[in-house]
């Protein structure tokens, strides 16, 4: 027993040496591009409350005059009316905050650039008026949709759709699809962030990482679908969107109605 106690335990030499592991540099373009793509989608999907300003019209009236102005702009034969609509939309856009203007113009710039790209051959064929005409109409239409989305809460917008007797299956599909895109985008962001933190060195099998992200997202979506169905059954949801509170129209709504009448009169006069 005494001999066993007096034995000296020696640590091997390889355990005493300093580790000099230098991982190979790897390109993280896959994770960076994926993260930027998901963030760009999530930036456009915002369902926060309180986006309605003090002088906003009723949600149903907003939806109606947005569609009305888009139809007038698309069917106008006089280019002067289109220019007037461009100026009016720009003035209305100036009343939003800087962050909201940036968000609206991001979608508008993309749509305008795509229209210019498709209509660029018309300039070389001797018809530059078509490029300016259609580009202005695209600017007005996309900006009006962006103003509607940025200035109206999502639940009020779906409620206004129901007031126009739009089928409930269409509203339900649109509502659930957009909200699922937002929720699954946040899950993808968490997965990509965890993969980025755990990645050391060069990853030669990026396809496996991509399939893993898609697999986990699919499993999460399946689990969320079952939970949502159970929650709807517990709450007695039958697929019908009921409007409990009737919308009250104010003087602001009357002002917007007068603007619509004036716009229609100007359209008829210039046509």
């Amino acid at each position: 027993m005494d001999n066993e106690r007096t034995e000296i335990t020696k640590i091997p030499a390889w355990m005493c040496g300093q580790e000099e592991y230098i991982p190979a540099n790897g390109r993280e373009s896959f994770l960076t591009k994926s993260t930027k793509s998901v963030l760009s989608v999530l930036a456009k999907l915002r369902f926060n409350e309180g986006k309605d300003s003090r002088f906003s019209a009723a949600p149903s009236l907003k939806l109606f005059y947005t569609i009305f102005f888009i139809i007038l702009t698309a069917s106008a034969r006089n280019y002067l009316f289109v220019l007037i609509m461009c100026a009016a939309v720009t003035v209305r856009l100036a009343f939003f905050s800087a962050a909201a203007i940036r968000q609206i113009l991001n979608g508008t710039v993309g749509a305008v650039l795509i229209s210019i790209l498709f209509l660029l051959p018309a300039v070389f064929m001797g018809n530059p008026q078509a490029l300016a005409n259609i580009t202005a109409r695209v600017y007005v239409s996309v900006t009006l949709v962006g103003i509607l989305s940025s200035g109206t809460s999502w639940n009020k917008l779906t409620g206004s759709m129901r007031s126009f007797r739009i089928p409930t299956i269409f509203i339900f599909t649109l509502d659930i699809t957009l909200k699922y895109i937002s929720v699954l985008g946040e899950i993808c962001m968490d997965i990509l962030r965890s993969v980025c933190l755990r990645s050391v060195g060069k990853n030669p099998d990026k396809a496996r990482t991509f399939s893993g992200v898609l697999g986990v997202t699919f499993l999460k979506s399946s689990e969320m679908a079952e939970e949502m169905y159970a929650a709807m059954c517990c709450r007695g949801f039958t697929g019908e969107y009921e409007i409990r509170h009737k919308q009250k129209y104010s003087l602001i709504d009357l002002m917007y109605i007068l603007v619509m009448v004036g716009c229609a009169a100007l359209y008829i006069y210039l046509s």
Side-chain angles (χ1 to χ4, degrees):
M1 293 292 293
D2 296 336
N3 294 332
E4 293 179 356
R5 292 180 180 178
T6 56
E7 288 182 357
I8 300 174
T9 304
K10 295 182 179 180
I11 301 176
W14 63 269
M15 295 183 65
C16 299
Q18 186 177 2
E19 185 178 1
E20 297 181 354
Y21 171 70
I22 301 176
N25 294 328
R27 298 179 60 187
E28 297 182 354
S29 58
F30 165 72
L31 296 175
T32 304
K33 292 180 180 179
S34 301
T35 305
K36 289 182 179 180
S37 301
V38 175
L39 285 176
S40 64
V41 174
L42 293 179
K44 299 177 182 178
L45 297 175
R46 296 182 179 180
F47 305 100
N48 299 329
E49 297 290 339
K51 294 194 297 183
D52 303 280
S53 61
R54 182 179 179 183
F55 300 102
S56 295
S60 58
L61 185 60
K62 285 183 181 180
L63 182 61
F64 178 77
Y65 73 64
T66 300
I67 298 174
F68 180 73
F69 289 151
I70 290 175
I71 293 175
L72 289 184
T73 305
S75 61
R77 297 181 180 179
N78 196 332
Y79 186 60
L80 178 60
F81 179 81
V82 180
L83 292 179
I84 293 174
M85 289 299 299
C86 288
V89 168
T90 306
V91 171
R92 179 66 182 91
L93 188 62
F95 287 93
F96 285 87
S97 61
I101 294 175
R102 191 182 304 111
Q103 181 184 359
I104 295 171
L105 290 182
N106 283 336
T108 304
V109 170
V112 170
L113 290 179
I114 292 175
S115 63
I116 292 175
L117 182 63
F118 280 99
L119 295 173
L120 194 61
V123 178
F124 299 100
M125 295 176 65
N127 192 11
Q129 294 81 8
L131 177 63
N133 196 351
I134 297 178
T135 302
R137 296 173 194 266
V138 170
Y139 168 77
V140 173
S141 301
V142 179
T143 306
L144 283 173
V145 174
I147 290 173
L148 176 65
S149 176
S150 181
T152 311
S153 301
W154 179 251
N155 57 344
K156 295 181 180 179
L157 189 59
T158 53
S160 63
M161 290 181 184
R162 188 62 187 134
S163 62
F164 287 102
R165 300 296 186 271
I166 296 177
T168 55
I169 185 64
F170 175 80
I171 302 175
F172 177 77
T173 305
L174 180 64
D175 191 12
I176 296 301
T177 300
L178 293 180
K179 288 184 178 179
Y180 253 70
I181 291 175
S182 177
V183 174
L184 292 178
E186 294 177 357
I187 293 175
C188 287
M189 280 299 305
D190 295 337
I191 297 173
L192 290 172
R193 191 178 295 112
S194 64
V195 171
C196 183
L197 292 175
R198 296 175 183 177
S199 297
V200 179
K202 186 176 182 180
N203 183 13
D205 194 1
K206 293 184 173 60
R208 185 177 179 182
T209 304
F210 179 71
S211 61
V213 173
L214 292 181
V216 174
T217 306
F218 175 76
L219 294 177
K220 286 288 185 180
S221 63
S222 178
E223 181 181 353
M224 289 167 53
E226 295 179 358
E227 293 177 354
M228 184 184 66
Y229 177 75
M232 287 183 174
C233 292
C234 292
R235 290 173 173 83
F237 181 72
T238 59
E240 294 290 335
Y241 284 81
E242 298 180 0
I243 303 176
R244 297 182 179 180
H245 303 286
K246 293 184 178 180
Q247 297 179 359
K248 297 181 180 180
Y249 294 96
S250 60
L251 294 176
I252 302 297
D253 301 326
L254 180 60
M255 182 188 70
Y256 279 98
I257 293 173
L258 294 177
V259 171
M260 290 172 58
V261 172
C263 186
L266 181 63
Y267 172 82
I268 296 173
Y269 175 74
L270 293 177
S271 297

